[in-house]
Amino acid sequence: MKVYDYSFLKSDRISNNVLSLLVSIEKIQAVGIINSEMYPKVFSNLENISKRQSVKASNAINGIFATDRRIESLIDKDIDPANQGEEKIIGYSDVIDEIFTNYDSLQFNEYIIRDFHKTLLVHTGINSGGSYKDNDVIFTENLQDGTRRVILNPVSYQNTNEAMEALVKAYKIAIEDSTIPRLLLIPCVIFDFLCIHPFNEGNGRISRLLSSLLLFRNEYDVGKFVSFEKQIYNYKSEYYESIRLCSINWDDNSNDYNPFIQNFLESLYSCYIELNSRFRIIDNEKKSKKIRIEETIKKSWNPISRKEIHLVWPDISHETIKKVIKSLLNEQKIKKIGNFKDARYKRNWYGKTTQNEDNMVIF
């Protein structure tokens, strides 16, 4: 029988890779705090971008897709949802808004978890929102040789109430223990939530929302400015493989949490790297608008739109951004992806180099 107890995080069962990531995150977090004090307006705009990217990425992980323009209109309530997928997108947006705004007052307990789930599905007409599951399911995948293997065998619906109560209680005990690193505790709790799989649907999305809640409450709030969910989506196969590996022997308490902890911390560390790379000042000089635009594109891990550049640097006009991007394209420093209003831009690794390139951080 599964026992929810995180005291093992004080032992030597944690891998060296995980411990190294833990140290790296603690170091880089301080740089983010300094940047937020230096660029408050920029951080405010990054928060808006992160929310929208998180809504898109977390739903895409579960096969729910919509264009950037449509997601933006759905979030802003400018259009009505056209299908159930878009209704779920609105629900996710509503929950993430609540977390971003009120995380300090939102406790990790069954009421909040069920309320998140109810909000997630409230626009869909599905009447099971906020209710624990009433049937069992086993998650499998097809292998290349034609066989199938189990990825996750969740807790039975008959034991869900008891499991969720034990999970919340174990977290409350562990969070009060100062000898347990919170960045090790949070992914373990999230993984156990996934193994319980308390709802008929939406468990993956709820797990990522709870990840944000617990990270924010424990002062790891980089996900407010760079989408944590987008980092997971970028390496979705590794994410699912870490779940599969950690679930082996989970129900008899002999599983290894390290693969999921490492995947979780790698995603978090990527957020810090991307955030801090946007604010690296070369030789302490004030950068021109062109250099800021160029470096924002080059240092973004994912293709970025003109509108997102303007949100990062609101003092730069849309017309200036348009002109600079045209110049950078002509100089072969960046590449264009897509057309018209949906176009995005990324670094052209095979184009010309610049004098400042040696001073830049490449990720």
Side-chain angles (χ1 to χ4, degrees):
M1 181 178 178
K2 178 65 181 178
V3 176
Y4 300 89
D5 180 2
Y6 300 110
S7 59
F8 74 89
L9 292 171
K10 296 185 284 187
S11 71
D12 58 359
R13 287 171 57 184
I14 304 304
S15 71
N16 289 333
N17 286 342
V18 167
L19 293 176
S20 178
L21 274 168
L22 190 65
V23 172
S24 297
I25 290 172
E26 296 292 355
K27 287 181 178 179
I28 201 170
Q29 183 193 22
V31 180
I33 294 172
I34 294 171
N35 283 331
S36 66
E37 294 172 350
M38 292 174 62
Y39 303 99
K41 186 178 291 186
V42 172
F43 269 71
S44 177
N45 287 308
L46 285 175
E47 186 172 322
N48 185 41
I49 295 174
S50 178
K51 280 184 187 179
R52 293 165 192 267
Q53 290 183 341
S54 293
V55 170
K56 178 181 180 180
S58 192
N59 281 281
I61 291 170
N62 292 104
I64 303 169
F65 298 97
T67 65
D68 289 349
R69 194 183 307 174
R70 191 152 184 88
I71 288 175
E72 184 173 338
S73 296
L74 288 166
I75 291 173
D76 293 339
K77 306 294 190 292
D78 292 335
I79 60 173
D80 294 326
N83 51 52
Q84 191 175 87
E86 292 188 350
E87 290 168 346
K88 292 177 180 179
I89 287 172
I90 295 174
Y92 195 94
S93 174
D94 290 344
V95 180
I96 207 167
D97 271 342
E98 184 177 2
I99 292 172
F100 271 56
T101 305
N102 301 314
Y103 65 88
D104 276 336
S105 62
L106 296 172
Q107 300 293 325
F108 182 75
N109 56 44
E110 286 188 79
Y111 173 81
I112 290 297
I113 295 170
R114 294 173 78 144
D115 188 61
F116 281 179
H117 189 257
K118 183 178 180 179
T119 302
L120 188 72
L121 299 182
V122 70
H123 301 284
T124 66
I126 298 173
N127 59 15
S128 61
S131 300
Y132 289 149
K133 61 189 177 185
D134 56 8
N135 59 74
D136 291 332
V137 63
I138 296 177
F139 295 92
T140 62
E141 67 174 343
N142 296 319
L143 300 179
Q144 291 183 348
D145 61 5
T147 60
R148 296 173 67 85
R149 69 177 176 183
V150 174
I151 298 177
L152 186 65
N153 185 9
V155 166
S156 167
Y157 76 94
Q158 296 171 316
N159 298 323
T160 297
N161 279 288
E162 179 183 357
M164 287 299 295
E165 182 180 349
L167 175 69
V168 170
K169 182 178 180 180
Y171 172 78
K172 289 181 177 179
I173 292 172
I175 202 67
E176 295 297 325
D177 188 338
S178 61
T179 64
I180 297 178
R182 295 181 178 187
L183 274 184
L184 300 183
L185 171 63
I186 293 169
C188 289
V189 171
I190 297 302
F191 179 74
D192 284 345
F193 173 86
L194 285 169
C195 285
I196 296 171
H197 233 68
F199 304 108
N200 285 328
E201 71 161 280
N203 294 282
R205 282 167 287 151
I206 290 295
S207 75
R208 292 184 286 276
L209 289 164
L210 291 175
S211 296
S212 294
L213 174 63
L214 294 182
L215 286 169
F216 293 1
R217 284 185 58 80
N218 287 282
E219 300 181 354
Y220 298 98
D221 63 351
V222 67
K224 291 175 68 177
F225 314 109
V226 176
S227 171
F228 180 68
E229 292 93 329
K230 190 170 184 178
Q231 304 301 329
I232 296 173
Y233 177 73
N234 288 340
Y235 299 95
K236 185 170 65 171
S237 60
E238 290 86 348
Y239 167 71
Y240 281 122
E241 177 64 5
S242 72
I243 292 174
R244 185 189 70 80
L245 291 172
C246 288
S247 67
I248 298 172
N249 300 322
W250 176 82
D251 52 351
D252 67 7
N253 304 296
S254 60
N255 66 304
D256 180 9
Y257 282 90
N258 280 294
F260 188 82
I261 298 175
Q262 181 168 332
N263 181 271
F264 189 97
L265 295 186
E266 284 174 347
S267 297
L268 186 66
Y269 186 58
S270 296
C271 290
Y272 279 109
I273 290 291
E274 181 169 346
L275 178 63
N276 289 338
S277 69
R278 296 190 180 208
F279 299 98
R280 188 174 294 275
I281 302 297
I282 298 173
D283 297 329
N284 293 320
E285 294 179 0
K286 184 177 181 181
K287 298 180 183 178
S288 69
K289 292 179 180 179
K290 180 178 180 179
I291 291 177
R292 280 189 282 158
I293 293 170
E294 181 177 349
E295 292 189 1
T296 299
I297 296 172
K298 287 184 174 181
K299 293 177 180 180
S300 178
W301 280 30
N302 299 284
I304 189 169
S305 68
R306 293 203 315 245
K307 183 173 183 179
E308 288 173 339
I309 294 171
H310 178 67
L311 287 171
V312 175
W313 304 114
D315 63 307
I316 306 177
S317 70
H318 289 286
E319 188 61 30
T320 298
I321 293 171
K322 183 178 179 180
K323 289 179 180 178
V324 170
I325 284 177
K326 183 178 179 180
S327 173
L328 293 173
L329 286 169
N330 290 336
E331 295 169 14
Q332 300 178 29
K333 293 180 178 178
I334 63 173
K335 294 171 65 175
K336 183 179 179 180
I337 300 174
N339 296 304
F340 307 111
K341 293 183 179 180
D342 290 327
R344 290 176 172 273
Y345 305 90
K346 62 183 288 187
R347 183 186 189 122
N348 182 10
W349 291 97
Y350 302 101
K352 300 177 182 178
T353 58
T354 66
Q355 280 187 322
N356 288 330
E357 197 123 34
D358 290 338
N359 292 325
M360 295 179 64
V361 180
I362 308 300
F363 301 108

